[in-house]
Amino acid sequence: GQNIDQPTEMTATEGAIVQINCTYQTSGFNGLFWYQQHAGEAPTFLSYNVLDGLEEKGRFSSFLSRSKGYSYLLLKELQMKDSASYLCAVRDGNYQLIWGAGTKLIIKP
Amino acid sequence: DTGVSQNPRHKITKRGQNVTFRCDPISEHNRLYWYRQTLGQGPEFLTYFQNEAQLEKSRLLSDRFSAERPKGSFSTLEIQRTEQGDSAMYLCASSLGEEGASGANVLTFGAGSRLTVL
């Protein structure tokens, strides 16, 4: 079967750095997405990786290793507003999006 | 463009009743998706349209669920004879993409319609 694994919950301190990991097993691969979802709100797009390596976008970076079936989202200079769930999603060989359950990130002052 | 709009935002109904949700996607987007999400889970795919054609429907979706996109613009999702297990957030998303094409095809989500079945 197809599977996306990410930690259920993480806690970090304001101003620090946190890395949220995602491992996947899918039938084929056509890209990996990270979305941010605040409680009770819609998911919003953060990043897209289709080739190996690091994509940087401001305070957020996303890394992909296709051979390892692994990605991470790196958040720097954490702010209280970064408290949210972070969803990893993989587009499989049939161009279907497979979603992880999300990682709830709690930021403490 | 105000993004993806969903109505109603909240719906409370009694078991056995029918409910309908509406989604207005971003106007230039040709693809429209419906997902269901429960607390602590990622979105679960229900169905998607490319223009007015419904191209895929989840095998997990019972025949009580039906979706339409009659003119390739807005879409409706109807749930007949609701059950308590249908209680969830129903998310609509739209994107601009071609079938099987490479590229990001980023989904833009609406705020969702929360259904509570008593």
Side-chain angles (χ1 to χ4, degrees):
Chain A
Q2 308 203 95
N3 197 50
I4 309 283
D5 284 316
Q6 46 182 138
T8 302
E9 187 175 296
M10 299 182 70
T11 302
T13 305
E14 189 177 16
I17 299 172
V18 71
Q19 177 175 311
I20 302 174
N21 295 325
C22 170
T23 57
Y24 63 89
Q25 292 176 311
T26 57
S27 301
F29 177 85
N30 283 295
L32 183 145
F33 299 80
W34 284 97
Y35 278 77
Q36 179 191 61
Q37 186 175 27
H38 286 100
E41 298 183 11
T44 55
F45 170 74
L46 289 178
S47 68
Y48 170 69
N49 295 70
V50 66
L51 299 176
D52 291 350
L54 189 68
E55 294 282 342
E56 296 185 81
K57 192 184 293 185
R59 294 188 298 115
F60 293 5
S61 303
S62 56
F63 172 82
L64 174 67
S65 169
R66 289 172 296 170
S67 63
K68 295 182 179 178
Y70 168 70
S71 172
Y72 67 72
L73 180 69
L74 191 71
L75 291 76
K76 303 177 183 176
E77 301 168 14
L78 286 169
Q79 301 175 10
M80 297 303 292
K81 67 178 182 179
D82 297 330
S83 291
S85 286
Y86 291 85
L87 298 162
C88 175
V90 173
R91 194 160 62 194
D92 69 10
N94 293 318
Y95 293 89
Q96 296 301 313
L97 266 182
I98 311 300
W99 293 85
T103 298
K104 182 179 181 180
L105 178 63
I106 300 168
I107 309 296
K108 294 185 175 180
Chain B
D1 197 337
T2 56
V4 179
S5 176
Q6 292 189 244
N7 290 290
R9 292 293 312 278
H10 302 275
K11 179 70 176 180
I12 300 174
T13 191
K14 293 182 179 179
R15 188 177 54 189
Q17 297 295 305
N18 298 344
V19 296
T20 299
F21 300 117
R22 175 177 170 129
C23 172
D24 288 89
I26 292 173
S27 56
E28 60 265 29
H29 284 181
N30 58 342
R31 286 185 161 185
L32 186 147
Y33 302 78
W34 284 101
Y35 286 89
R36 176 169 61 191
Q37 187 177 28
T38 54
L39 196 63
Q41 299 298 316
E44 176 191 6
F45 172 76
L46 296 178
T47 188
Y48 99 93
F49 294 82
Q50 179 149 309
N51 301 311
E52 66 275 11
Q54 187 173 18
L55 294 187
E56 188 158 350
K57 188 174 175 180
S58 170
R59 286 170 292 179
L60 301 175
L61 206 61
S62 82
D63 56 7
R64 296 184 298 107
F65 288 70
S66 62
E68 294 183 343
R69 194 183 184 197
K71 298 181 180 178
S73 57
F74 74 93
S75 175
T76 57
L77 176 70
E78 181 182 19
I79 309 173
Q80 296 181 325
R81 305 181 302 280
T82 52
E83 301 172 357
Q84 288 184 325
D86 298 332
S87 295
M89 177 74 84
Y90 289 84
L91 293 168
C92 176
S94 68
S95 71
L96 182 64
E98 295 296 325
E99 179 67 21
S102 59
N105 189 29
V106 173
L107 270 60
T108 301
F109 283 87
S113 293
R114 181 169 295 284
L115 173 65
T116 301
V117 182
L118 302 176

